[in-house]
Amino acid sequence: MRDAGEANEEPAPKVALAREKVLEEARRAIAEGEKKDVSIVVIGQYSLACVLALPKLTVSCIGHVDAGKSTLMGRLLYELGEVGEKGRIANERASGKIGKASFSWAWQMDGLTEERERGITMDISQTRLPLPRTTLTVLDAPGHRDFIPNMISGAAQADAALLVIDAGVGEFEAGFEGGGQSREHVLLVRSLGVTQVVVAVNKLDMVEWSKARFDEICGALQPFLVQSGFQPSKTIFIPCGAFSGVNLQERNCKALEAWYNGPTLVDALDNLTPPTRSLDTPLRFPISNVFKGGHLSLGGIGVSGRVCSGIVQAREVVRILPGQLSATIHSIELDSKSVPWAAAGSNVTLYLSGIDPNFLSIGSVICSPNDLVPVASAFIAQIIVFDIKMPITTGASVELFHHSRDNPATISKLLATVDRASGAVIKSNPRVLTKGCSARVEITLRSGTMSAPSTKPLFLPLETFSTNKEMGRVLLRRGGETIAAGETTNIFFFSPGASNAPISRG
Ligand SMILES: Nc1nc2c(ncn2[C@@H]2O[C@H](COP(=O)(O)OP(=O)(O)OP(=O)(O)O)[C@@H](O)[C@H]2O)c(=O)[nH]1
């Protein structure tokens, strides 16, 4: 993910609050559905005006390449007043100068020179959407298949998805048929725990705002969403035109209004339900980006990501796993504002002090020294096999995705095929796994890279799905194709603090 930019210079609390006090404050604020942004926090003798880091909803913007995801986000930011006339004109002029005028709205999101020159999103970019009722954090994902690892990193941090579909003739079909990214993205986000999806049926101007085309797309997509595990009540289809800003905040198009008087895209996004957050569980913060910035006098190391569970607070000493690293959280930044603490569900940047950045890696997990995350070298998972061309056999080499990390791994044992719902064994020790089946498999992690895997073991911070849902989901890819998604059931773990000897199986 891209750099979060400079930290603001608001003073950080001088000491960490007692954990119970923070928990109490978080629970109270969440229970009261606190709307106001600023609260006075008393820390010892200091009384500080701080922005409350209440968890908000994070939405991953997904869909086939060129569906109009970045354009939609750029235009939405303009409609909501987050981008002014000056910004709009600057993007219009600069994109026009290099013959990319049609990408002027997308430039708001696609800030890298290569992205602008190629007219595609390559990395996740994060933005804040202030809606009438709530504020969303949106992660704009790349649609191109080459950048699926970045897309997975964003999807792993999301509560809901905004699926953008190109309604142009043949375009929806290209994204939806075998190998299309609309299809793969839907399967990925659902496998990573997303349960709500808003579908923006975009570029309807290309088909003269045709109701028949809108209905055709909804008719094909809805059964697929349901089959992928989305409840019908958690899906909604919104016709729109991102480029001209139709039906984003206002309907403002006669041809569309002739047959549509339903919600706008802003209405649909504003109605998403925030999931329940696990505040009482131990702190787990998988790092999705490491960068230099802010507080340079203190070493200036920032790490961004999402608080998966628990609460993190400024001045707290934390451990970073795998490895023996400790650090102090100098300050926490949410939406460019300093916050005293952040609860599960928040996407934040933590500025660390007392740490050598060379030992920090994307995918490492920050936790409390009193409650370390297990570090596994192998584990058992119940997987669902996707629509694969080649069956999975014992010893298959795969790429394992866990949050923002991807590593080589081997499917070391095929333990059983199982019933998807009940988990009951259908067949023990199957020879192969074919498309659509559910199975229990043992996966062994390997160090090195996919092109040069090493025989040395690798240790990954992992938990069973039953202990911590967000830490217990994995995806398996092979040859650029997602072949399965799974939930960890047993992990073979090592004591992260003491020795390297295995201390438990199961
Ligand atoms: N006609 C029309 N074109 C649109 C609309 N929305 C986006 N586009 C065009 O579609 C092209 C791709 O837009 P992007 O926003 O870059 O698409 P994307 O989905 O973000 O692309 P990737 O992230 O690279 O997959 C650009 O030329 C846009 O101008 C729309 O509502 N109508």
Side-chain angles (χ1 to χ4, degrees), residues 63-72 102-103 106 110 119-121 140-144 202-206 240-244:
H64 195 60
V65 65
D66 276 352
K69 301 178 286 299
S70 306
T71 302
L72 181 62
S102 74
F103 290 91
D110 297 340
I120 56 168
T121 306
D140 182 25
H144 197 285
N202 187 33
K203 303 198 194 180
L204 273 175
D205 56 301
M206 304 279 280
C240 65
F243 197 83
S244 42

PDB file of all heavy atoms in Angstrom, residues 63-72 102-103 106 110 119-121 140-144 202-206 240-244, ligand 1:
ATOM      1  N   GLY A  63     -13.176  -5.087  -8.915  1.00  0.00           N
ATOM      2  CA  GLY A  63     -13.798  -5.271 -10.233  1.00  0.00           C
ATOM      3  C   GLY A  63     -12.755  -5.432 -11.318  1.00  0.00           C
ATOM      4  O   GLY A  63     -11.561  -5.171 -11.114  1.00  0.00           O
ATOM      5  N   HIS A  64     -13.220  -5.842 -12.485  1.00  0.00           N
ATOM      6  CA  HIS A  64     -12.353  -6.138 -13.629  1.00  0.00           C
ATOM      7  C   HIS A  64     -11.559  -4.894 -14.048  1.00  0.00           C
ATOM      8  O   HIS A  64     -11.978  -3.767 -13.776  1.00  0.00           O
ATOM      9  CB  HIS A  64     -13.242  -6.604 -14.791  1.00  0.00           C
ATOM     10  CG  HIS A  64     -12.504  -7.280 -15.894  1.00  0.00           C
ATOM     11  ND1 HIS A  64     -11.777  -8.427 -15.693  1.00  0.00           N
ATOM     12  CD2 HIS A  64     -12.368  -6.968 -17.210  1.00  0.00           C
ATOM     13  CE1 HIS A  64     -11.244  -8.812 -16.847  1.00  0.00           C
ATOM     14  NE2 HIS A  64     -11.587  -7.942 -17.777  1.00  0.00           N
ATOM     15  N   VAL A  65     -10.449  -5.124 -14.706  1.00  0.00           N
ATOM     16  CA  VAL A  65      -9.607  -4.018 -15.149  1.00  0.00           C
ATOM     17  C   VAL A  65     -10.424  -3.044 -16.016  1.00  0.00           C
ATOM     18  O   VAL A  65     -11.260  -3.466 -16.821  1.00  0.00           O
ATOM     19  CB  VAL A  65      -8.354  -4.567 -15.894  1.00  0.00           C
ATOM     20  CG1 VAL A  65      -8.705  -5.275 -17.190  1.00  0.00           C
ATOM     21  CG2 VAL A  65      -7.337  -3.476 -16.147  1.00  0.00           C
ATOM     22  N   ASP A  66     -10.229  -1.751 -15.753  1.00  0.00           N
ATOM     23  CA  ASP A  66     -10.891  -0.674 -16.518  1.00  0.00           C
ATOM     24  C   ASP A  66     -12.399  -0.561 -16.289  1.00  0.00           C
ATOM     25  O   ASP A  66     -13.091   0.101 -17.079  1.00  0.00           O
ATOM     26  CB  ASP A  66     -10.644  -0.842 -18.035  1.00  0.00           C
ATOM     27  CG  ASP A  66      -9.314  -0.228 -18.448  1.00  0.00           C
ATOM     28  OD1 ASP A  66      -8.702   0.439 -17.599  1.00  0.00           O
ATOM     29  OD2 ASP A  66      -8.908  -0.435 -19.603  1.00  0.00           O
ATOM     30  N   ALA A  67     -12.930  -1.187 -15.250  1.00  0.00           N
ATOM     31  CA  ALA A  67     -14.373  -1.095 -14.988  1.00  0.00           C
ATOM     32  C   ALA A  67     -14.768   0.329 -14.597  1.00  0.00           C
ATOM     33  O   ALA A  67     -15.941   0.705 -14.683  1.00  0.00           O
ATOM     34  CB  ALA A  67     -14.774  -2.064 -13.889  1.00  0.00           C
ATOM     35  N   GLY A  68     -13.758   1.109 -14.139  1.00  0.00           N
ATOM     36  CA  GLY A  68     -14.034   2.495 -13.743  1.00  0.00           C
ATOM     37  C   GLY A  68     -13.945   2.705 -12.236  1.00  0.00           C
ATOM     38  O   GLY A  68     -14.512   3.672 -11.717  1.00  0.00           O
ATOM     39  N   LYS A  69     -13.201   1.855 -11.543  1.00  0.00           N
ATOM     40  CA  LYS A  69     -13.104   1.938 -10.076  1.00  0.00           C
ATOM     41  C   LYS A  69     -12.478   3.265  -9.618  1.00  0.00           C
ATOM     42  O   LYS A  69     -13.031   3.961  -8.777  1.00  0.00           O
ATOM     43  CB  LYS A  69     -12.264   0.755  -9.528  1.00  0.00           C
ATOM     44  CG  LYS A  69     -12.854  -0.605  -9.877  1.00  0.00           C
ATOM     45  CD  LYS A  69     -11.993  -1.741  -9.381  1.00  0.00           C
ATOM     46  CE  LYS A  69     -10.725  -1.957 -10.156  1.00  0.00           C
ATOM     47  NZ  LYS A  69     -10.908  -2.292 -11.590  1.00  0.00           N
ATOM     48  N   SER A  70     -11.313   3.597 -10.191  1.00  0.00           N
ATOM     49  CA  SER A  70     -10.628   4.825  -9.748  1.00  0.00           C
ATOM     50  C   SER A  70     -11.417   6.054 -10.177  1.00  0.00           C
ATOM     51  O   SER A  70     -11.510   7.035  -9.433  1.00  0.00           O
ATOM     52  CB  SER A  70      -9.215   4.883 -10.322  1.00  0.00           C
ATOM     53  OG  SER A  70      -8.522   3.704 -10.009  1.00  0.00           O
ATOM     54  N   THR A  71     -12.009   6.007 -11.373  1.00  0.00           N
ATOM     55  CA  THR A  71     -12.832   7.124 -11.843  1.00  0.00           C
ATOM     56  C   THR A  71     -13.995   7.336 -10.868  1.00  0.00           C
ATOM     57  O   THR A  71     -14.299   8.466 -10.473  1.00  0.00           O
ATOM     58  CB  THR A  71     -13.376   6.824 -13.264  1.00  0.00           C
ATOM     59  OG1 THR A  71     -12.260   6.591 -14.114  1.00  0.00           O
ATOM     60  CG2 THR A  71     -14.224   7.956 -13.801  1.00  0.00           C
ATOM     61  N   LEU A  72     -14.615   6.247 -10.472  1.00  0.00           N
ATOM     62  CA  LEU A  72     -15.752   6.321  -9.550  1.00  0.00           C
ATOM     63  C   LEU A  72     -15.317   6.955  -8.222  1.00  0.00           C
ATOM     64  O   LEU A  72     -16.001   7.847  -7.702  1.00  0.00           O
ATOM     65  CB  LEU A  72     -16.319   4.917  -9.313  1.00  0.00           C
ATOM     66  CG  LEU A  72     -17.517   4.810  -8.392  1.00  0.00           C
ATOM     67  CD1 LEU A  72     -18.700   5.574  -8.953  1.00  0.00           C
ATOM     68  CD2 LEU A  72     -17.916   3.362  -8.181  1.00  0.00           C
ATOM     69  N   SER A 102      -9.251  10.968 -20.437  1.00  0.00           N
ATOM     70  CA  SER A 102     -10.358  10.153 -19.922  1.00  0.00           C
ATOM     71  C   SER A 102     -10.043   9.607 -18.526  1.00  0.00           C
ATOM     72  O   SER A 102     -10.921   9.084 -17.844  1.00  0.00           O
ATOM     73  CB  SER A 102     -10.690   9.018 -20.884  1.00  0.00           C
ATOM     74  OG  SER A 102      -9.712   8.017 -20.814  1.00  0.00           O
ATOM     75  N   PHE A 103      -8.781   9.730 -18.095  1.00  0.00           N
ATOM     76  CA  PHE A 103      -8.413   9.226 -16.768  1.00  0.00           C
ATOM     77  C   PHE A 103      -8.332  10.340 -15.724  1.00  0.00           C
ATOM     78  O   PHE A 103      -7.805  10.137 -14.635  1.00  0.00           O
ATOM     79  CB  PHE A 103      -7.064   8.475 -16.830  1.00  0.00           C
ATOM     80  CG  PHE A 103      -7.173   7.167 -17.561  1.00  0.00           C
ATOM     81  CD1 PHE A 103      -6.942   7.095 -18.926  1.00  0.00           C
ATOM     82  CD2 PHE A 103      -7.542   6.008 -16.890  1.00  0.00           C
ATOM     83  CE1 PHE A 103      -7.072   5.893 -19.612  1.00  0.00           C
ATOM     84  CE2 PHE A 103      -7.675   4.807 -17.572  1.00  0.00           C
ATOM     85  CZ  PHE A 103      -7.436   4.749 -18.929  1.00  0.00           C
ATOM     86  N   ALA A 106      -9.677   9.460 -12.447  1.00  0.00           N
ATOM     87  CA  ALA A 106      -8.905   8.368 -11.842  1.00  0.00           C
ATOM     88  C   ALA A 106      -7.587   8.878 -11.254  1.00  0.00           C
ATOM     89  O   ALA A 106      -7.061   8.282 -10.307  1.00  0.00           O
ATOM     90  CB  ALA A 106      -8.631   7.289 -12.890  1.00  0.00           C
ATOM     91  N   ASP A 110      -5.050   7.332  -8.596  1.00  0.00           N
ATOM     92  CA  ASP A 110      -3.839   6.716  -9.141  1.00  0.00           C
ATOM     93  C   ASP A 110      -2.727   7.752  -9.188  1.00  0.00           C
ATOM     94  O   ASP A 110      -2.551   8.459 -10.181  1.00  0.00           O
ATOM     95  CB  ASP A 110      -4.117   6.157 -10.552  1.00  0.00           C
ATOM     96  CG  ASP A 110      -5.170   5.047 -10.528  1.00  0.00           C
ATOM     97  OD1 ASP A 110      -5.383   4.467  -9.448  1.00  0.00           O
ATOM     98  OD2 ASP A 110      -5.765   4.766 -11.578  1.00  0.00           O
ATOM     99  N   GLY A 119      -2.326   4.216 -17.333  1.00  0.00           N
ATOM    100  CA  GLY A 119      -3.780   4.290 -17.198  1.00  0.00           C
ATOM    101  C   GLY A 119      -4.355   3.094 -16.457  1.00  0.00           C
ATOM    102  O   GLY A 119      -5.495   2.695 -16.697  1.00  0.00           O
ATOM    103  N   ILE A 120      -3.550   2.500 -15.538  1.00  0.00           N
ATOM    104  CA  ILE A 120      -4.087   1.399 -14.716  1.00  0.00           C
ATOM    105  C   ILE A 120      -3.655   1.587 -13.263  1.00  0.00           C
ATOM    106  O   ILE A 120      -2.634   2.213 -12.985  1.00  0.00           O
ATOM    107  CB  ILE A 120      -3.612  -0.006 -15.187  1.00  0.00           C
ATOM    108  CG1 ILE A 120      -2.083  -0.087 -15.230  1.00  0.00           C
ATOM    109  CG2 ILE A 120      -4.217  -0.393 -16.509  1.00  0.00           C
ATOM    110  CD1 ILE A 120      -1.577  -1.502 -15.391  1.00  0.00           C
ATOM    111  N   THR A 121      -4.468   1.034 -12.370  1.00  0.00           N
ATOM    112  CA  THR A 121      -4.099   1.052 -10.960  1.00  0.00           C
ATOM    113  C   THR A 121      -3.164  -0.136 -10.710  1.00  0.00           C
ATOM    114  O   THR A 121      -3.417  -1.234 -11.200  1.00  0.00           O
ATOM    115  CB  THR A 121      -5.366   0.910 -10.075  1.00  0.00           C
ATOM    116  OG1 THR A 121      -6.285   1.929 -10.455  1.00  0.00           O
ATOM    117  CG2 THR A 121      -5.046   1.027  -8.603  1.00  0.00           C
ATOM    118  N   ASP A 140      -8.974   1.411  -2.885  1.00  0.00           N
ATOM    119  CA  ASP A 140      -9.175   1.222  -4.330  1.00  0.00           C
ATOM    120  C   ASP A 140      -8.184   0.162  -4.790  1.00  0.00           C
ATOM    121  O   ASP A 140      -6.972   0.348  -4.717  1.00  0.00           O
ATOM    122  CB  ASP A 140      -8.940   2.562  -5.048  1.00  0.00           C
ATOM    123  CG  ASP A 140      -9.166   2.461  -6.549  1.00  0.00           C
ATOM    124  OD1 ASP A 140      -9.925   1.572  -6.982  1.00  0.00           O
ATOM    125  OD2 ASP A 140      -8.569   3.266  -7.289  1.00  0.00           O
ATOM    126  N   ALA A 141      -8.709  -0.964  -5.280  1.00  0.00           N
ATOM    127  CA  ALA A 141      -7.839  -2.093  -5.634  1.00  0.00           C
ATOM    128  C   ALA A 141      -7.512  -2.085  -7.118  1.00  0.00           C
ATOM    129  O   ALA A 141      -8.312  -1.612  -7.927  1.00  0.00           O
ATOM    130  CB  ALA A 141      -8.534  -3.398  -5.270  1.00  0.00           C
ATOM    131  N   PRO A 142      -6.358  -2.634  -7.497  1.00  0.00           N
ATOM    132  CA  PRO A 142      -6.078  -2.754  -8.928  1.00  0.00           C
ATOM    133  C   PRO A 142      -6.930  -3.856  -9.543  1.00  0.00           C
ATOM    134  O   PRO A 142      -7.170  -4.889  -8.914  1.00  0.00           O
ATOM    135  CB  PRO A 142      -4.594  -3.128  -8.979  1.00  0.00           C
ATOM    136  CG  PRO A 142      -4.185  -3.508  -7.610  1.00  0.00           C
ATOM    137  CD  PRO A 142      -5.270  -3.145  -6.654  1.00  0.00           C
ATOM    138  N   GLY A 143      -7.378  -3.643 -10.790  1.00  0.00           N
ATOM    139  CA  GLY A 143      -8.206  -4.657 -11.442  1.00  0.00           C
ATOM    140  C   GLY A 143      -7.382  -5.625 -12.275  1.00  0.00           C
ATOM    141  O   GLY A 143      -7.810  -6.747 -12.541  1.00  0.00           O
ATOM    142  N   HIS A 144      -6.187  -5.191 -12.681  1.00  0.00           N
ATOM    143  CA  HIS A 144      -5.371  -6.029 -13.565  1.00  0.00           C
ATOM    144  C   HIS A 144      -4.911  -7.286 -12.828  1.00  0.00           C
ATOM    145  O   HIS A 144      -4.480  -7.221 -11.684  1.00  0.00           O
ATOM    146  CB  HIS A 144      -4.168  -5.218 -14.044  1.00  0.00           C
ATOM    147  CG  HIS A 144      -3.500  -5.804 -15.239  1.00  0.00           C
ATOM    148  ND1 HIS A 144      -2.709  -6.924 -15.143  1.00  0.00           N
ATOM    149  CD2 HIS A 144      -3.521  -5.455 -16.545  1.00  0.00           C
ATOM    150  CE1 HIS A 144      -2.259  -7.221 -16.352  1.00  0.00           C
ATOM    151  NE2 HIS A 144      -2.745  -6.352 -17.218  1.00  0.00           N
ATOM    152  N   ASN A 202     -21.735   0.357 -13.773  1.00  0.00           N
ATOM    153  CA  ASN A 202     -21.162   1.617 -14.251  1.00  0.00           C
ATOM    154  C   ASN A 202     -21.181   1.706 -15.791  1.00  0.00           C
ATOM    155  O   ASN A 202     -21.433   0.705 -16.469  1.00  0.00           O
ATOM    156  CB  ASN A 202     -19.725   1.716 -13.723  1.00  0.00           C
ATOM    157  CG  ASN A 202     -19.082   3.044 -13.995  1.00  0.00           C
ATOM    158  OD1 ASN A 202     -19.758   4.078 -14.014  1.00  0.00           O
ATOM    159  ND2 ASN A 202     -17.773   3.045 -14.218  1.00  0.00           N
ATOM    160  N   LYS A 203     -20.861   2.870 -16.283  1.00  0.00           N
ATOM    161  CA  LYS A 203     -20.757   3.155 -17.726  1.00  0.00           C
ATOM    162  C   LYS A 203     -22.073   2.882 -18.447  1.00  0.00           C
ATOM    163  O   LYS A 203     -22.080   2.458 -19.601  1.00  0.00           O
ATOM    164  CB  LYS A 203     -19.625   2.344 -18.375  1.00  0.00           C
ATOM    165  CG  LYS A 203     -18.239   2.533 -17.759  1.00  0.00           C
ATOM    166  CD  LYS A 203     -17.134   2.079 -18.689  1.00  0.00           C
ATOM    167  CE  LYS A 203     -15.809   1.943 -17.971  1.00  0.00           C
ATOM    168  NZ  LYS A 203     -14.709   1.521 -18.812  1.00  0.00           N
ATOM    169  N   LEU A 204     -23.199   3.088 -17.744  1.00  0.00           N
ATOM    170  CA  LEU A 204     -24.489   2.872 -18.411  1.00  0.00           C
ATOM    171  C   LEU A 204     -24.706   3.879 -19.541  1.00  0.00           C
ATOM    172  O   LEU A 204     -25.542   3.664 -20.413  1.00  0.00           O
ATOM    173  CB  LEU A 204     -25.633   2.922 -17.391  1.00  0.00           C
ATOM    174  CG  LEU A 204     -25.944   1.591 -16.694  1.00  0.00           C
ATOM    175  CD1 LEU A 204     -26.998   1.764 -15.618  1.00  0.00           C
ATOM    176  CD2 LEU A 204     -26.408   0.516 -17.690  1.00  0.00           C
ATOM    177  N   ASP A 205     -23.942   4.984 -19.538  1.00  0.00           N
ATOM    178  CA  ASP A 205     -24.022   5.943 -20.653  1.00  0.00           C
ATOM    179  C   ASP A 205     -23.621   5.272 -21.968  1.00  0.00           C
ATOM    180  O   ASP A 205     -24.104   5.637 -23.035  1.00  0.00           O
ATOM    181  CB  ASP A 205     -23.127   7.164 -20.390  1.00  0.00           C
ATOM    182  CG  ASP A 205     -21.678   6.772 -20.131  1.00  0.00           C
ATOM    183  OD1 ASP A 205     -21.433   6.021 -19.174  1.00  0.00           O
ATOM    184  OD2 ASP A 205     -20.787   7.193 -20.899  1.00  0.00           O
ATOM    185  N   MET A 206     -22.752   4.256 -21.882  1.00  0.00           N
ATOM    186  CA  MET A 206     -22.276   3.562 -23.085  1.00  0.00           C
ATOM    187  C   MET A 206     -23.384   2.727 -23.735  1.00  0.00           C
ATOM    188  O   MET A 206     -23.258   2.312 -24.876  1.00  0.00           O
ATOM    189  CB  MET A 206     -21.120   2.617 -22.735  1.00  0.00           C
ATOM    190  CG  MET A 206     -19.945   3.262 -22.054  1.00  0.00           C
ATOM    191  SD  MET A 206     -18.878   4.049 -23.234  1.00  0.00           S
ATOM    192  CE  MET A 206     -17.966   2.659 -23.834  1.00  0.00           C
ATOM    193  N   CYS A 240     -25.251   3.398 -12.522  1.00  0.00           N
ATOM    194  CA  CYS A 240     -24.577   4.698 -12.441  1.00  0.00           C
ATOM    195  C   CYS A 240     -23.662   4.976 -13.626  1.00  0.00           C
ATOM    196  O   CYS A 240     -23.418   4.097 -14.459  1.00  0.00           O
ATOM    197  CB  CYS A 240     -23.790   4.815 -11.128  1.00  0.00           C
ATOM    198  SG  CYS A 240     -22.440   3.667 -10.998  1.00  0.00           S
ATOM    199  N   GLY A 241     -23.175   6.187 -13.655  1.00  0.00           N
ATOM    200  CA  GLY A 241     -22.186   6.613 -14.642  1.00  0.00           C
ATOM    201  C   GLY A 241     -21.141   7.417 -13.889  1.00  0.00           C
ATOM    202  O   GLY A 241     -21.390   8.563 -13.513  1.00  0.00           O
ATOM    203  N   ALA A 242     -19.993   6.788 -13.623  1.00  0.00           N
ATOM    204  CA  ALA A 242     -18.990   7.429 -12.770  1.00  0.00           C
ATOM    205  C   ALA A 242     -18.435   8.683 -13.424  1.00  0.00           C
ATOM    206  O   ALA A 242     -18.285   9.724 -12.782  1.00  0.00           O
ATOM    207  CB  ALA A 242     -17.859   6.444 -12.471  1.00  0.00           C
ATOM    208  N   PHE A 243     -18.146   8.589 -14.729  1.00  0.00           N
ATOM    209  CA  PHE A 243     -17.457   9.698 -15.383  1.00  0.00           C
ATOM    210  C   PHE A 243     -18.273  10.984 -15.325  1.00  0.00           C
ATOM    211  O   PHE A 243     -17.760  12.049 -15.032  1.00  0.00           O
ATOM    212  CB  PHE A 243     -17.104   9.334 -16.835  1.00  0.00           C
ATOM    213  CG  PHE A 243     -16.060  10.241 -17.399  1.00  0.00           C
ATOM    214  CD1 PHE A 243     -14.714  10.013 -17.163  1.00  0.00           C
ATOM    215  CD2 PHE A 243     -16.420  11.363 -18.141  1.00  0.00           C
ATOM    216  CE1 PHE A 243     -13.742  10.877 -17.649  1.00  0.00           C
ATOM    217  CE2 PHE A 243     -15.449  12.224 -18.632  1.00  0.00           C
ATOM    218  CZ  PHE A 243     -14.117  11.981 -18.383  1.00  0.00           C
ATOM    219  N   SER A 244     -19.592  10.852 -15.585  1.00  0.00           N
ATOM    220  CA  SER A 244     -20.423  12.063 -15.575  1.00  0.00           C
ATOM    221  C   SER A 244     -21.106  12.280 -14.219  1.00  0.00           C
ATOM    222  O   SER A 244     -21.894  13.213 -14.069  1.00  0.00           O
ATOM    223  CB  SER A 244     -21.461  11.979 -16.703  1.00  0.00           C
ATOM    224  OG  SER A 244     -21.999  10.671 -16.746  1.00  0.00           O
TER     225      SER A 244
HETATM  226  N1  LIG B   1     -18.096   6.162 -20.791  1.00  0.00           N
HETATM  227  C1  LIG B   1     -17.673   6.022 -19.556  1.00  0.00           C
HETATM  228  N2  LIG B   1     -16.394   5.756 -19.316  1.00  0.00           N
HETATM  229  C2  LIG B   1     -15.989   5.593 -18.029  1.00  0.00           C
HETATM  230  C3  LIG B   1     -16.895   5.708 -16.949  1.00  0.00           C
HETATM  231  N3  LIG B   1     -16.218   5.462 -15.804  1.00  0.00           N
HETATM  232  C4  LIG B   1     -14.932   5.235 -16.164  1.00  0.00           C
HETATM  233  N4  LIG B   1     -14.789   5.310 -17.512  1.00  0.00           N
HETATM  234  C5  LIG B   1     -13.544   5.135 -18.290  1.00  0.00           C
HETATM  235  O1  LIG B   1     -13.024   3.840 -18.114  1.00  0.00           O
HETATM  236  C6  LIG B   1     -11.606   3.875 -18.226  1.00  0.00           C
HETATM  237  C7  LIG B   1     -10.982   3.139 -17.053  1.00  0.00           C
HETATM  238  O2  LIG B   1     -11.274   3.845 -15.872  1.00  0.00           O
HETATM  239  P1  LIG B   1     -10.490   3.579 -14.506  1.00  0.00           P
HETATM  240  O3  LIG B   1     -11.185   4.385 -13.481  1.00  0.00           O
HETATM  241  O4  LIG B   1      -9.041   3.778 -14.679  1.00  0.00           O
HETATM  242  O5  LIG B   1     -10.787   2.031 -14.322  1.00  0.00           O
HETATM  243  P2  LIG B   1     -10.268   1.108 -13.122  1.00  0.00           P
HETATM  244  O6  LIG B   1     -11.317   0.090 -12.906  1.00  0.00           O
HETATM  245  O7  LIG B   1      -9.889   1.925 -11.949  1.00  0.00           O
HETATM  246  O8  LIG B   1      -8.964   0.476 -13.774  1.00  0.00           O
HETATM  247  P3  LIG B   1      -7.895  -0.512 -13.021  1.00  0.00           P
HETATM  248  O9  LIG B   1      -7.838  -0.104 -11.598  1.00  0.00           O
HETATM  249  O10 LIG B   1      -6.617  -0.277 -13.747  1.00  0.00           O
HETATM  250  O11 LIG B   1      -8.455  -1.859 -13.201  1.00  0.00           O
HETATM  251  C8  LIG B   1     -11.209   5.346 -18.276  1.00  0.00           C
HETATM  252  O12 LIG B   1     -10.955   5.707 -19.609  1.00  0.00           O
HETATM  253  C9  LIG B   1     -12.458   6.073 -17.794  1.00  0.00           C
HETATM  254  O13 LIG B   1     -12.647   7.356 -18.354  1.00  0.00           O
HETATM  255  C10 LIG B   1     -18.270   6.015 -17.247  1.00  0.00           C
HETATM  256  O14 LIG B   1     -19.134   6.167 -16.386  1.00  0.00           O
HETATM  257  N5  LIG B   1     -18.582   6.137 -18.554  1.00  0.00           N
END
